[in-house]
Amino acid sequence: MTVHNLYIFDRNGSCLFYNEWNRKKQAGISKDEEFKLMYGMLFSIRSFVSKMSPQDMKDGFLSFQTSKYRLHYYETASGLMFVMNTDLSVSNARDTLQHIYSNLYVELIVKNPLCPSSQTLDSELFSSRLDSFIRSLPYYSPRAA
Amino acid sequence: MVIFSVYVVNKAGGLIYQYDNYVPRTEVEKTFSHPLDLVLKHHDDKVVVSFGQRDGIKVGHALLSINGVDVLGKNTADGKDILEYLKDPANYPVSIRFGRARLSSNEKLMLASMFHSLFAIGSQLSPEVGSSGIEMLETDVFKLHCFQTLTGIKFIVLADPRQSGIDTLLKKIYEIYSDFALKNPFYSLEMPIRCELFDQNLKSALEVAEKAGNFGAGS
């Protein structure tokens, strides 16, 4: 039970926010490159899924899992993307991501006139609130591994 | 409970087998008067709806036929451009059929190699050590399950999100592949699979899986 990391992208693909909690393996490339790769992957998954789908979709892509982790995806109508990696025991984190959007992002970034919402978020209040929110999640418990 | 389709991808990302088990019909036919209250546009050699959902016609649906005659890509059956044809008030009222465009075999090849690279990126961006690629990808209308063998062949099954027993099915397809494709002296490795026995056995395995796996209400 653990949360690995969290990415927030805007609709143009720039990474607004990144934080990690229990990440054991780095991608082996610079963070900038990693954000581009991650956004590129999500972008391709979106188009892949919409073509592959046998029926019309409402929410579209929700999550994927590998043998070691699960990636949860939430996209707002305005194109913001919230991506969280957890371990496999977390089956659905949609509410969590929705909460981060509506109660943290909207409240602390959108409603803060000093925070331009089109570049990297450097609001300390947002980072600390988000950090304590993630740490208080029922499935956040860093194991001493 | 349904299994939509099966894909087999070789280790280079080439599609070597594809079978559509169940394709839901999503087609709507409607009579329109001038001017058309849908916004249409060209996309990938097709005419698709870009704005104005109504009566079951959704954004992204392709125009399939006009007055009962199937269209050819972005032209009508007699070779006129569809968007030009629909601009002319003299052609109204007109009956148009819309639906989700079926994947062409080229598009299927492209999607298979696209998944091949997504699989690899999924493993590279892993926050944990020693992760595989994407094993399961979930959306609200289907789940994609992927099983990669030690030799690098990927078996991909698209199924209803509530369908269970897919892991067994994937192993079973691998078994069928080893028995009926690999043991066929006329089959060359990494090339498209055209073996009748493989087809037959795959179809019966899908039937068995559809009958067995049944979770949740609704079907």
Side-chain angles (χ1 to χ4, degrees), chain A residues 52, chain B residues 3-11 13-21 104-105 107-113 153-158 169-170 173-174 176-178 180-182 184 187-206:
Chain A
M52 202 75 158
Chain B
I3 291 167
F4 296 117
S5 49
V6 177
Y7 291 74
V8 183
V9 178
N10 71 16
K11 57 185 167 205
L15 184 64
I16 55 173
Y17 185 81
Q18 200 277 337
Y19 172 65
D20 282 325
N21 185 48
S104 67
S105 27
E107 282 174 313
K108 283 173 183 163
L109 286 172
M110 194 198 78
L111 289 173
S113 51
I153 308 250
K154 288 186 198 66
F155 296 95
I156 299 167
V157 167
L158 253 71
L169 174 67
L170 286 166
I173 298 176
Y174 183 27
I176 295 170
Y177 169 75
S178 345
F180 298 102
L182 295 183
N184 183 336
Y187 174 66
S188 46
L189 215 57
E190 307 285 306
M191 294 304 276
I193 303 170
R194 294 188 210 289
C195 309
E196 218 171 281
L197 277 176
F198 179 80
D199 281 346
Q200 285 167 11
N201 283 279
L202 181 76
K203 277 174 203 165
S204 51
L206 292 181

Short mmCIF file of all heavy atoms in Angstrom, two decimals, chain A residues 52, chain B residues 3-11 13-21 104-105 107-113 153-158 169-170 173-174 176-178 180-182 184 187-206:
data_model
loop_
_atom_site.label_atom_id
_atom_site.label_comp_id
_atom_site.label_asym_id
_atom_site.label_seq_id
_atom_site.Cartn_x
_atom_site.Cartn_y
_atom_site.Cartn_z
N MET A 52 -9.45 2.26 -30.44
CA MET A 52 -9.57 0.83 -30.16
C MET A 52 -10.95 0.48 -29.62
O MET A 52 -11.42 -0.63 -29.79
CB MET A 52 -8.49 0.49 -29.12
CG MET A 52 -8.11 -0.94 -29.06
SD MET A 52 -7.08 -1.36 -30.46
CE MET A 52 -6.26 -2.79 -29.82
N ILE B 3 -16.27 -10.76 -25.10
CA ILE B 3 -14.88 -10.51 -25.46
C ILE B 3 -14.94 -9.85 -26.83
O ILE B 3 -15.55 -10.39 -27.76
CB ILE B 3 -14.09 -11.82 -25.49
CG1 ILE B 3 -13.95 -12.33 -24.05
CG2 ILE B 3 -12.72 -11.61 -26.11
CD1 ILE B 3 -13.49 -13.72 -23.94
N PHE B 4 -14.36 -8.67 -26.95
CA PHE B 4 -14.50 -7.92 -28.20
C PHE B 4 -13.54 -8.41 -29.28
O PHE B 4 -13.96 -8.76 -30.37
CB PHE B 4 -14.31 -6.43 -27.96
CG PHE B 4 -15.35 -5.82 -27.06
CD1 PHE B 4 -15.03 -5.28 -25.84
CD2 PHE B 4 -16.69 -5.81 -27.46
CE1 PHE B 4 -16.00 -4.73 -25.02
CE2 PHE B 4 -17.67 -5.26 -26.64
CZ PHE B 4 -17.32 -4.72 -25.42
N SER B 5 -12.24 -8.45 -28.96
CA SER B 5 -11.32 -8.87 -30.01
C SER B 5 -9.99 -9.37 -29.45
O SER B 5 -9.69 -9.17 -28.27
CB SER B 5 -11.08 -7.74 -31.02
OG SER B 5 -10.77 -6.55 -30.35
N VAL B 6 -9.24 -10.02 -30.31
CA VAL B 6 -7.96 -10.61 -29.93
C VAL B 6 -6.89 -10.13 -30.91
O VAL B 6 -7.13 -10.09 -32.12
CB VAL B 6 -8.03 -12.15 -29.99
CG1 VAL B 6 -6.68 -12.76 -29.65
CG2 VAL B 6 -9.09 -12.68 -29.05
N TYR B 7 -5.75 -9.73 -30.38
CA TYR B 7 -4.62 -9.30 -31.22
C TYR B 7 -3.40 -10.12 -30.81
O TYR B 7 -3.20 -10.39 -29.63
CB TYR B 7 -4.28 -7.82 -31.00
CG TYR B 7 -5.32 -6.84 -31.51
CD1 TYR B 7 -6.52 -6.65 -30.84
CD2 TYR B 7 -5.09 -6.09 -32.66
CE1 TYR B 7 -7.47 -5.76 -31.31
CE2 TYR B 7 -6.03 -5.19 -33.13
CZ TYR B 7 -7.22 -5.03 -32.45
OH TYR B 7 -8.16 -4.14 -32.92
N VAL B 8 -2.59 -10.51 -31.78
CA VAL B 8 -1.29 -11.12 -31.47
C VAL B 8 -0.22 -10.26 -32.14
O VAL B 8 -0.29 -9.99 -33.34
CB VAL B 8 -1.21 -12.58 -31.97
CG1 VAL B 8 0.12 -13.19 -31.58
CG2 VAL B 8 -2.34 -13.40 -31.41
N VAL B 9 0.75 -9.82 -31.34
CA VAL B 9 1.77 -8.90 -31.82
C VAL B 9 3.13 -9.57 -31.68
O VAL B 9 3.43 -10.13 -30.61
CB VAL B 9 1.74 -7.60 -30.99
CG1 VAL B 9 2.82 -6.65 -31.44
CG2 VAL B 9 0.39 -6.93 -31.09
N ASN B 10 3.94 -9.57 -32.72
CA ASN B 10 5.25 -10.22 -32.62
C ASN B 10 6.24 -9.33 -31.90
O ASN B 10 5.93 -8.21 -31.52
CB ASN B 10 5.74 -10.68 -34.00
CG ASN B 10 6.14 -9.52 -34.90
OD1 ASN B 10 6.33 -8.40 -34.44
ND2 ASN B 10 6.23 -9.79 -36.18
N LYS B 11 7.47 -9.82 -31.70
CA LYS B 11 8.37 -9.07 -30.81
C LYS B 11 8.89 -7.79 -31.44
O LYS B 11 9.52 -6.98 -30.76
CB LYS B 11 9.50 -9.95 -30.31
CG LYS B 11 10.34 -10.59 -31.36
CD LYS B 11 11.34 -11.53 -30.69
CE LYS B 11 11.99 -12.41 -31.72
NZ LYS B 11 12.48 -13.66 -31.15
N GLY B 13 6.74 -5.70 -32.85
CA GLY B 13 5.60 -4.78 -32.85
C GLY B 13 4.68 -4.95 -34.05
O GLY B 13 3.79 -4.14 -34.26
N GLY B 14 4.91 -5.98 -34.84
CA GLY B 14 4.04 -6.21 -36.00
C GLY B 14 2.83 -7.05 -35.62
O GLY B 14 2.93 -7.96 -34.80
N LEU B 15 1.70 -6.71 -36.22
CA LEU B 15 0.48 -7.46 -35.93
C LEU B 15 0.48 -8.75 -36.76
O LEU B 15 0.54 -8.69 -37.98
CB LEU B 15 -0.73 -6.60 -36.28
CG LEU B 15 -2.12 -7.17 -35.96
CD1 LEU B 15 -2.28 -7.32 -34.47
CD2 LEU B 15 -3.19 -6.26 -36.51
N ILE B 16 0.45 -9.91 -36.09
CA ILE B 16 0.47 -11.14 -36.86
C ILE B 16 -0.86 -11.88 -36.83
O ILE B 16 -1.06 -12.83 -37.56
CB ILE B 16 1.61 -12.09 -36.42
CG1 ILE B 16 1.53 -12.40 -34.93
CG2 ILE B 16 2.96 -11.50 -36.78
CD1 ILE B 16 2.52 -13.45 -34.50
N TYR B 17 -1.78 -11.42 -35.98
CA TYR B 17 -3.10 -12.05 -35.99
C TYR B 17 -4.10 -11.10 -35.37
O TYR B 17 -3.79 -10.43 -34.39
CB TYR B 17 -3.08 -13.37 -35.22
CG TYR B 17 -4.39 -14.12 -35.30
CD1 TYR B 17 -4.68 -14.90 -36.41
CD2 TYR B 17 -5.34 -14.00 -34.30
CE1 TYR B 17 -5.89 -15.54 -36.52
CE2 TYR B 17 -6.56 -14.66 -34.41
CZ TYR B 17 -6.82 -15.42 -35.51
OH TYR B 17 -8.02 -16.07 -35.63
N GLN B 18 -5.29 -11.04 -35.95
CA GLN B 18 -6.33 -10.21 -35.35
C GLN B 18 -7.66 -10.86 -35.61
O GLN B 18 -7.92 -11.36 -36.70
CB GLN B 18 -6.30 -8.82 -35.98
CG GLN B 18 -6.98 -7.75 -35.13
CD GLN B 18 -8.48 -7.71 -35.33
OE1 GLN B 18 -8.98 -8.14 -36.36
NE2 GLN B 18 -9.20 -7.20 -34.35
N TYR B 19 -8.50 -10.89 -34.59
CA TYR B 19 -9.82 -11.48 -34.75
C TYR B 19 -10.84 -10.64 -33.99
O TYR B 19 -10.65 -10.38 -32.80
CB TYR B 19 -9.81 -12.93 -34.25
CG TYR B 19 -11.17 -13.56 -34.20
CD1 TYR B 19 -11.87 -13.78 -35.38
CD2 TYR B 19 -11.75 -13.93 -33.00
CE1 TYR B 19 -13.14 -14.35 -35.35
CE2 TYR B 19 -13.02 -14.51 -32.96
CZ TYR B 19 -13.70 -14.71 -34.14
OH TYR B 19 -14.96 -15.27 -34.11
N ASP B 20 -11.89 -10.19 -34.68
CA ASP B 20 -12.98 -9.48 -34.00
C ASP B 20 -14.05 -10.47 -33.64
O ASP B 20 -14.68 -11.06 -34.52
CB ASP B 20 -13.57 -8.40 -34.92
CG ASP B 20 -12.69 -7.16 -34.97
OD1 ASP B 20 -12.10 -6.84 -33.93
OD2 ASP B 20 -12.59 -6.55 -36.05
N ASN B 21 -14.26 -10.65 -32.34
CA ASN B 21 -15.22 -11.64 -31.88
C ASN B 21 -16.62 -11.06 -31.81
O ASN B 21 -17.59 -11.73 -32.12
CB ASN B 21 -14.77 -12.13 -30.50
CG ASN B 21 -15.62 -13.25 -29.98
OD1 ASN B 21 -15.87 -14.20 -30.69
ND2 ASN B 21 -16.06 -13.12 -28.75
N SER B 104 -9.78 -0.08 -40.18
CA SER B 104 -9.26 -0.75 -41.37
C SER B 104 -8.07 -1.60 -40.96
O SER B 104 -7.54 -1.44 -39.87
CB SER B 104 -8.83 0.29 -42.39
OG SER B 104 -7.71 0.98 -41.90
N SER B 105 -7.64 -2.53 -41.83
CA SER B 105 -6.53 -3.38 -41.42
C SER B 105 -5.25 -2.58 -41.22
O SER B 105 -4.43 -2.93 -40.37
CB SER B 105 -6.31 -4.54 -42.39
OG SER B 105 -6.75 -4.20 -43.65
N GLU B 107 -5.15 0.47 -39.98
CA GLU B 107 -5.26 1.09 -38.66
C GLU B 107 -4.98 0.09 -37.56
O GLU B 107 -4.37 0.42 -36.55
CB GLU B 107 -6.66 1.68 -38.49
CG GLU B 107 -6.84 3.00 -39.21
CD GLU B 107 -8.27 3.50 -39.15
OE1 GLU B 107 -9.19 2.70 -39.42
OE2 GLU B 107 -8.45 4.66 -38.85
N LYS B 108 -5.40 -1.16 -37.78
CA LYS B 108 -5.14 -2.19 -36.77
C LYS B 108 -3.64 -2.42 -36.63
O LYS B 108 -3.13 -2.55 -35.51
CB LYS B 108 -5.84 -3.49 -37.15
CG LYS B 108 -7.32 -3.43 -36.86
CD LYS B 108 -8.04 -4.65 -37.37
CE LYS B 108 -9.53 -4.51 -37.12
NZ LYS B 108 -10.31 -5.45 -37.92
N LEU B 109 -2.92 -2.46 -37.76
CA LEU B 109 -1.46 -2.62 -37.71
C LEU B 109 -0.83 -1.47 -36.93
O LEU B 109 0.05 -1.67 -36.10
CB LEU B 109 -0.88 -2.61 -39.13
CG LEU B 109 -1.10 -3.83 -39.98
CD1 LEU B 109 -0.64 -3.57 -41.40
CD2 LEU B 109 -0.32 -5.00 -39.40
N MET B 110 -1.34 -0.26 -37.20
CA MET B 110 -0.78 0.92 -36.55
C MET B 110 -1.04 0.88 -35.04
O MET B 110 -0.14 1.13 -34.24
CB MET B 110 -1.44 2.15 -37.16
CG MET B 110 -0.76 3.44 -36.87
SD MET B 110 -1.90 4.76 -37.20
CE MET B 110 -2.95 4.72 -35.78
N LEU B 111 -2.27 0.50 -34.67
CA LEU B 111 -2.61 0.45 -33.24
C LEU B 111 -1.79 -0.60 -32.52
O LEU B 111 -1.37 -0.41 -31.39
CB LEU B 111 -4.10 0.17 -33.06
CG LEU B 111 -5.01 1.32 -33.46
CD1 LEU B 111 -6.47 0.89 -33.41
CD2 LEU B 111 -4.80 2.51 -32.54
N ALA B 112 -1.52 -1.73 -33.20
CA ALA B 112 -0.75 -2.79 -32.58
C ALA B 112 0.67 -2.32 -32.30
O ALA B 112 1.21 -2.54 -31.21
CB ALA B 112 -0.72 -4.02 -33.47
N SER B 113 1.28 -1.61 -33.24
CA SER B 113 2.65 -1.17 -32.99
C SER B 113 2.67 -0.01 -32.00
O SER B 113 3.63 0.17 -31.25
CB SER B 113 3.37 -0.81 -34.28
OG SER B 113 2.61 0.07 -35.02
N ILE B 153 6.40 -12.43 -27.63
CA ILE B 153 5.12 -12.30 -28.35
C ILE B 153 4.07 -11.78 -27.38
O ILE B 153 4.03 -12.19 -26.23
CB ILE B 153 4.68 -13.68 -28.88
CG1 ILE B 153 5.82 -14.30 -29.67
CG2 ILE B 153 3.39 -13.57 -29.67
CD1 ILE B 153 5.62 -14.39 -31.11
N LYS B 154 3.25 -10.86 -27.85
CA LYS B 154 2.19 -10.33 -26.98
C LYS B 154 0.83 -10.81 -27.45
O LYS B 154 0.50 -10.71 -28.62
CB LYS B 154 2.18 -8.81 -27.01
CG LYS B 154 3.32 -8.16 -26.31
CD LYS B 154 3.11 -6.66 -26.29
CE LYS B 154 4.38 -5.93 -25.99
NZ LYS B 154 5.38 -6.07 -27.06
N PHE B 155 0.06 -11.33 -26.49
CA PHE B 155 -1.33 -11.70 -26.76
C PHE B 155 -2.20 -10.65 -26.10
O PHE B 155 -2.07 -10.41 -24.90
CB PHE B 155 -1.63 -13.09 -26.22
CG PHE B 155 -0.84 -14.16 -26.89
CD1 PHE B 155 0.35 -14.62 -26.34
CD2 PHE B 155 -1.27 -14.69 -28.09
CE1 PHE B 155 1.09 -15.59 -26.98
CE2 PHE B 155 -0.52 -15.67 -28.73
CZ PHE B 155 0.65 -16.11 -28.18
N ILE B 156 -3.07 -10.02 -26.87
CA ILE B 156 -3.88 -8.92 -26.35
C ILE B 156 -5.36 -9.27 -26.51
O ILE B 156 -5.77 -9.67 -27.61
CB ILE B 156 -3.55 -7.62 -27.09
CG1 ILE B 156 -2.08 -7.26 -26.89
CG2 ILE B 156 -4.44 -6.47 -26.62
CD1 ILE B 156 -1.58 -6.20 -27.82
N VAL B 157 -6.10 -9.14 -25.43
CA VAL B 157 -7.53 -9.41 -25.49
C VAL B 157 -8.29 -8.18 -25.01
O VAL B 157 -7.98 -7.61 -23.98
CB VAL B 157 -7.89 -10.63 -24.61
CG1 VAL B 157 -9.39 -10.71 -24.41
CG2 VAL B 157 -7.38 -11.90 -25.23
N LEU B 158 -9.26 -7.74 -25.80
CA LEU B 158 -10.14 -6.65 -25.42
C LEU B 158 -11.45 -7.25 -24.94
O LEU B 158 -12.08 -7.99 -25.70
CB LEU B 158 -10.44 -5.76 -26.63
CG LEU B 158 -9.78 -4.41 -26.68
CD1 LEU B 158 -8.31 -4.62 -26.95
CD2 LEU B 158 -10.39 -3.57 -27.77
N LEU B 169 -7.61 -17.30 -20.11
CA LEU B 169 -7.83 -17.25 -21.55
C LEU B 169 -6.54 -16.92 -22.29
O LEU B 169 -6.20 -17.54 -23.31
CB LEU B 169 -8.91 -16.22 -21.88
CG LEU B 169 -9.14 -15.97 -23.38
CD1 LEU B 169 -9.74 -17.20 -24.03
CD2 LEU B 169 -10.02 -14.77 -23.63
N LEU B 170 -5.77 -15.95 -21.75
CA LEU B 170 -4.52 -15.55 -22.42
C LEU B 170 -3.53 -16.72 -22.45
O LEU B 170 -2.87 -16.96 -23.47
CB LEU B 170 -3.91 -14.35 -21.69
CG LEU B 170 -4.62 -13.02 -21.94
CD1 LEU B 170 -4.18 -11.97 -20.94
CD2 LEU B 170 -4.36 -12.53 -23.34
N ILE B 173 -4.70 -19.11 -25.07
CA ILE B 173 -4.39 -18.67 -26.43
C ILE B 173 -2.92 -18.95 -26.75
O ILE B 173 -2.57 -19.36 -27.85
CB ILE B 173 -4.72 -17.17 -26.62
CG1 ILE B 173 -6.21 -16.92 -26.40
CG2 ILE B 173 -4.34 -16.70 -28.01
CD1 ILE B 173 -6.61 -15.46 -26.48
N TYR B 174 -2.06 -18.73 -25.76
CA TYR B 174 -0.63 -19.03 -25.93
C TYR B 174 -0.45 -20.51 -26.25
O TYR B 174 0.32 -20.89 -27.14
CB TYR B 174 0.11 -18.64 -24.64
CG TYR B 174 1.61 -18.82 -24.70
CD1 TYR B 174 2.30 -18.76 -25.90
CD2 TYR B 174 2.33 -19.02 -23.52
CE1 TYR B 174 3.68 -18.90 -25.94
CE2 TYR B 174 3.70 -19.16 -23.55
CZ TYR B 174 4.38 -19.11 -24.76
OH TYR B 174 5.74 -19.25 -24.78
N ILE B 176 -2.70 -22.52 -27.57
CA ILE B 176 -3.21 -22.77 -28.92
C ILE B 176 -2.20 -22.31 -29.96
O ILE B 176 -1.97 -22.97 -30.97
CB ILE B 176 -4.57 -22.04 -29.10
CG1 ILE B 176 -5.61 -22.64 -28.16
CG2 ILE B 176 -5.04 -22.12 -30.53
CD1 ILE B 176 -6.90 -21.86 -28.09
N TYR B 177 -1.58 -21.16 -29.68
CA TYR B 177 -0.56 -20.64 -30.60
C TYR B 177 0.61 -21.63 -30.72
O TYR B 177 1.05 -21.94 -31.82
CB TYR B 177 -0.08 -19.28 -30.08
CG TYR B 177 1.16 -18.74 -30.76
CD1 TYR B 177 1.09 -18.21 -32.05
CD2 TYR B 177 2.39 -18.75 -30.11
CE1 TYR B 177 2.22 -17.71 -32.67
CE2 TYR B 177 3.52 -18.26 -30.72
CZ TYR B 177 3.43 -17.75 -32.00
OH TYR B 177 4.57 -17.26 -32.61
N SER B 178 1.07 -22.15 -29.57
CA SER B 178 2.20 -23.08 -29.64
C SER B 178 1.82 -24.37 -30.34
O SER B 178 2.61 -24.95 -31.08
CB SER B 178 2.75 -23.42 -28.25
OG SER B 178 2.28 -22.55 -27.31
N PHE B 180 -0.85 -24.95 -32.56
CA PHE B 180 -1.39 -24.96 -33.92
C PHE B 180 -0.66 -24.02 -34.88
O PHE B 180 -0.71 -24.21 -36.08
CB PHE B 180 -2.88 -24.67 -33.89
CG PHE B 180 -3.63 -25.70 -33.12
CD1 PHE B 180 -4.07 -25.45 -31.83
CD2 PHE B 180 -3.86 -26.95 -33.68
CE1 PHE B 180 -4.74 -26.42 -31.12
CE2 PHE B 180 -4.53 -27.92 -32.96
CZ PHE B 180 -4.97 -27.66 -31.67
N ALA B 181 0.03 -23.00 -34.35
CA ALA B 181 0.78 -22.14 -35.26
C ALA B 181 2.23 -22.61 -35.34
O ALA B 181 2.77 -22.85 -36.41
CB ALA B 181 0.69 -20.69 -34.81
N LEU B 182 2.85 -22.76 -34.16
CA LEU B 182 4.28 -23.08 -34.15
C LEU B 182 4.56 -24.48 -34.68
O LEU B 182 5.61 -24.73 -35.26
CB LEU B 182 4.85 -22.93 -32.75
CG LEU B 182 4.83 -21.52 -32.20
CD1 LEU B 182 5.48 -21.47 -30.83
CD2 LEU B 182 5.56 -20.56 -33.14
N ASN B 184 2.93 -25.94 -36.99
CA ASN B 184 2.54 -26.04 -38.38
C ASN B 184 3.78 -25.83 -39.26
O ASN B 184 4.41 -24.78 -39.21
CB ASN B 184 1.50 -24.95 -38.66
CG ASN B 184 0.96 -24.99 -40.07
OD1 ASN B 184 1.62 -25.50 -40.98
ND2 ASN B 184 -0.21 -24.46 -40.26
N TYR B 187 4.16 -22.63 -41.30
CA TYR B 187 4.13 -21.32 -40.65
C TYR B 187 5.55 -20.79 -40.47
O TYR B 187 6.39 -21.47 -39.88
CB TYR B 187 3.44 -21.42 -39.29
CG TYR B 187 3.50 -20.13 -38.50
CD1 TYR B 187 2.84 -19.00 -38.95
CD2 TYR B 187 4.24 -20.04 -37.32
CE1 TYR B 187 2.92 -17.80 -38.25
CE2 TYR B 187 4.32 -18.86 -36.62
CZ TYR B 187 3.66 -17.74 -37.10
OH TYR B 187 3.74 -16.56 -36.41
N SER B 188 5.82 -19.60 -40.98
CA SER B 188 7.15 -19.03 -40.72
C SER B 188 7.05 -18.04 -39.57
O SER B 188 6.12 -17.22 -39.50
CB SER B 188 7.71 -18.37 -41.97
OG SER B 188 6.72 -17.58 -42.56
N LEU B 189 8.01 -18.11 -38.68
CA LEU B 189 8.02 -17.37 -37.43
C LEU B 189 7.91 -15.86 -37.69
O LEU B 189 8.45 -15.36 -38.67
CB LEU B 189 9.33 -17.68 -36.71
CG LEU B 189 9.26 -17.75 -35.19
CD1 LEU B 189 8.24 -18.78 -34.75
CD2 LEU B 189 10.62 -18.07 -34.62
N GLU B 190 7.20 -15.17 -36.80
CA GLU B 190 7.05 -13.71 -36.85
C GLU B 190 6.17 -13.24 -38.01
O GLU B 190 6.02 -12.05 -38.22
CB GLU B 190 8.41 -13.00 -36.96
CG GLU B 190 9.42 -13.39 -35.92
CD GLU B 190 9.12 -12.79 -34.56
OE1 GLU B 190 8.99 -11.56 -34.49
OE2 GLU B 190 8.99 -13.56 -33.60
N MET B 191 5.63 -14.16 -38.79
CA MET B 191 4.79 -13.76 -39.92
C MET B 191 3.32 -13.93 -39.54
O MET B 191 3.00 -14.65 -38.61
CB MET B 191 5.12 -14.62 -41.15
CG MET B 191 6.52 -14.39 -41.69
SD MET B 191 6.83 -12.67 -42.06
CE MET B 191 6.13 -12.57 -43.69
N PRO B 192 2.42 -13.28 -40.29
CA PRO B 192 0.99 -13.42 -39.98
C PRO B 192 0.55 -14.88 -39.90
O PRO B 192 1.02 -15.72 -40.67
CB PRO B 192 0.32 -12.71 -41.15
CG PRO B 192 1.30 -11.69 -41.58
CD PRO B 192 2.65 -12.30 -41.36
N ILE B 193 -0.32 -15.17 -38.93
CA ILE B 193 -0.77 -16.54 -38.70
C ILE B 193 -1.97 -16.82 -39.59
O ILE B 193 -3.01 -16.17 -39.46
CB ILE B 193 -1.17 -16.72 -37.23
CG1 ILE B 193 0.01 -16.36 -36.32
CG2 ILE B 193 -1.62 -18.14 -36.97
CD1 ILE B 193 -0.37 -16.29 -34.85
N ARG B 194 -1.83 -17.74 -40.51
CA ARG B 194 -2.98 -18.16 -41.33
C ARG B 194 -3.11 -19.67 -41.23
O ARG B 194 -2.72 -20.40 -42.12
CB ARG B 194 -2.76 -17.77 -42.78
CG ARG B 194 -2.74 -16.28 -42.99
CD ARG B 194 -2.71 -15.93 -44.46
NE ARG B 194 -2.01 -14.67 -44.68
CZ ARG B 194 -2.50 -13.49 -44.33
NH1 ARG B 194 -3.68 -13.40 -43.77
NH2 ARG B 194 -1.80 -12.39 -44.55
N CYS B 195 -3.61 -20.13 -40.08
CA CYS B 195 -3.79 -21.56 -39.88
C CYS B 195 -5.25 -21.76 -39.46
O CYS B 195 -5.71 -21.13 -38.52
CB CYS B 195 -2.90 -22.10 -38.77
SG CYS B 195 -1.19 -21.66 -38.94
N GLU B 196 -5.92 -22.65 -40.17
CA GLU B 196 -7.33 -22.86 -39.90
C GLU B 196 -7.57 -23.42 -38.50
O GLU B 196 -8.48 -22.99 -37.79
CB GLU B 196 -7.89 -23.82 -40.94
CG GLU B 196 -9.30 -23.46 -41.38
CD GLU B 196 -9.70 -24.31 -42.57
OE1 GLU B 196 -9.28 -23.99 -43.71
OE2 GLU B 196 -10.39 -25.30 -42.34
N LEU B 197 -6.69 -24.35 -38.11
CA LEU B 197 -6.87 -24.98 -36.79
C LEU B 197 -6.70 -23.95 -35.67
O LEU B 197 -7.39 -24.02 -34.65
CB LEU B 197 -5.85 -26.11 -36.60
CG LEU B 197 -6.25 -27.44 -37.21
CD1 LEU B 197 -5.12 -28.44 -37.06
CD2 LEU B 197 -7.50 -27.98 -36.54
N PHE B 198 -5.77 -23.02 -35.87
CA PHE B 198 -5.57 -21.95 -34.87
C PHE B 198 -6.86 -21.16 -34.74
O PHE B 198 -7.34 -20.93 -33.63
CB PHE B 198 -4.41 -21.06 -35.30
CG PHE B 198 -4.15 -19.92 -34.36
CD1 PHE B 198 -3.45 -20.12 -33.19
CD2 PHE B 198 -4.59 -18.64 -34.66
CE1 PHE B 198 -3.21 -19.07 -32.33
CE2 PHE B 198 -4.37 -17.58 -33.80
CZ PHE B 198 -3.66 -17.80 -32.63
N ASP B 199 -7.44 -20.76 -35.88
CA ASP B 199 -8.71 -20.01 -35.87
C ASP B 199 -9.79 -20.75 -35.09
O ASP B 199 -10.41 -20.19 -34.19
CB ASP B 199 -9.23 -19.82 -37.30
CG ASP B 199 -8.51 -18.69 -38.01
OD1 ASP B 199 -7.83 -17.91 -37.33
OD2 ASP B 199 -8.62 -18.62 -39.25
N GLN B 200 -9.98 -22.01 -35.48
CA GLN B 200 -11.07 -22.79 -34.86
C GLN B 200 -10.90 -22.90 -33.36
O GLN B 200 -11.83 -22.66 -32.59
CB GLN B 200 -11.08 -24.21 -35.43
CG GLN B 200 -11.63 -24.29 -36.84
CD GLN B 200 -11.33 -25.63 -37.46
OE1 GLN B 200 -10.90 -26.57 -36.78
NE2 GLN B 200 -11.55 -25.74 -38.77
N ASN B 201 -9.67 -23.26 -32.94
CA ASN B 201 -9.45 -23.46 -31.51
C ASN B 201 -9.57 -22.15 -30.73
O ASN B 201 -10.06 -22.14 -29.60
CB ASN B 201 -8.08 -24.09 -31.27
CG ASN B 201 -8.10 -25.56 -31.59
OD1 ASN B 201 -8.53 -26.37 -30.78
ND2 ASN B 201 -7.68 -25.92 -32.79
N LEU B 202 -9.09 -21.08 -31.35
CA LEU B 202 -9.21 -19.77 -30.69
C LEU B 202 -10.68 -19.43 -30.48
O LEU B 202 -11.10 -19.01 -29.40
CB LEU B 202 -8.54 -18.70 -31.54
CG LEU B 202 -8.57 -17.30 -30.94
CD1 LEU B 202 -7.56 -17.19 -29.82
CD2 LEU B 202 -8.30 -16.25 -31.98
N LYS B 203 -11.50 -19.64 -31.52
CA LYS B 203 -12.92 -19.30 -31.40
C LYS B 203 -13.58 -20.11 -30.29
O LYS B 203 -14.36 -19.57 -29.50
CB LYS B 203 -13.63 -19.56 -32.73
CG LYS B 203 -13.47 -18.40 -33.68
CD LYS B 203 -14.05 -18.70 -35.05
CE LYS B 203 -13.39 -17.80 -36.08
NZ LYS B 203 -13.61 -18.24 -37.45
N SER B 204 -13.25 -21.41 -30.21
CA SER B 204 -13.92 -22.18 -29.15
C SER B 204 -13.40 -21.77 -27.78
O SER B 204 -14.16 -21.76 -26.81
CB SER B 204 -13.78 -23.68 -29.40
OG SER B 204 -12.46 -24.01 -29.62
N ALA B 205 -12.12 -21.38 -27.68
CA ALA B 205 -11.61 -20.91 -26.38
C ALA B 205 -12.33 -19.63 -25.96
O ALA B 205 -12.65 -19.46 -24.77
CB ALA B 205 -10.11 -20.65 -26.47
N LEU B 206 -12.61 -18.76 -26.91
CA LEU B 206 -13.32 -17.52 -26.58
C LEU B 206 -14.74 -17.82 -26.10
O LEU B 206 -15.22 -17.21 -25.15
CB LEU B 206 -13.38 -16.59 -27.80
CG LEU B 206 -12.06 -15.99 -28.27
CD1 LEU B 206 -12.27 -15.09 -29.47
CD2 LEU B 206 -11.39 -15.21 -27.16
#
